Amino acid sequence: VDQGARDPDIPRDIALVKRTVRLGRLETHVDVTLTSARFETMVSRQHATFTWVTTGWWVVMDNASLNGVLVNGRSIPSEVPVPIRNGDHITFGNDFSDLVYAFHTVEPRC
């Protein structure tokens, strides 16, 4: 989903180029900052973490965020790594959030 067309402050793509990528609105504690006046209340300071696990999968974990993380429209449990696959849709915030990204499988570079 091209978020940049809706809000130029939101990244269009989130590149998972490290084995662990943290997302949130607290710039000093995350790898990818999701900040915007429109969505600020939707994203927690340290909202979610993507991790490449040794079994060859990416997982996403909700870091006990206020509004949660959805995978394909379903809320995931807090602080539980959930495997994600190519084509899955990841939503940051609740089901009213526009922060929806399509996941495309790649191996990390490092």
Side-chain angles (χ1 to χ4, degrees):
V1 176
D2 185 353
Q3 296 300 339
R6 295 178 185 201
D7 188 330
D9 294 329
I10 299 292
R12 291 177 181 227
D13 297 303
I14 298 172
L16 303 178
V17 296
K18 302 185 330 181
R19 292 191 180 275
T20 301
V21 178
R22 298 164 302 148
L23 291 92
R25 62 182 165 86
L26 186 60
E27 188 175 335
T28 57
H29 288 78
V30 296
D31 303 298
V32 177
T33 307
L34 297 175
T35 58
S36 164
R38 180 176 176 192
F39 297 112
E40 183 152 354
T41 59
M42 195 64 64
V43 179
S44 294
R45 291 175 290 187
Q46 297 178 50
H47 198 95
T49 302
F50 287 91
T51 306
W52 174 261
V53 293
T54 56
T55 55
W57 292 91
W58 280 101
V59 296
V60 63
M61 186 173 67
D62 176 0
N63 296 333
S65 67
L66 181 62
N67 289 303
V69 175
L70 288 77
V71 175
N72 297 324
R74 292 187 162 188
S75 182
I76 66 171
S78 182
E79 299 184 348
V80 175
V82 173
I84 51 177
R85 295 189 169 101
N86 197 32
D88 283 350
H89 286 86
I90 314 299
T91 305
F92 302 105
N94 59 34
D95 54 356
F96 298 108
S97 174
D98 283 343
L99 297 171
V100 181
Y101 292 85
F103 178 74
H104 301 287
T105 306
V106 294
E107 286 191 35
R109 294 183 198 152
C110 52

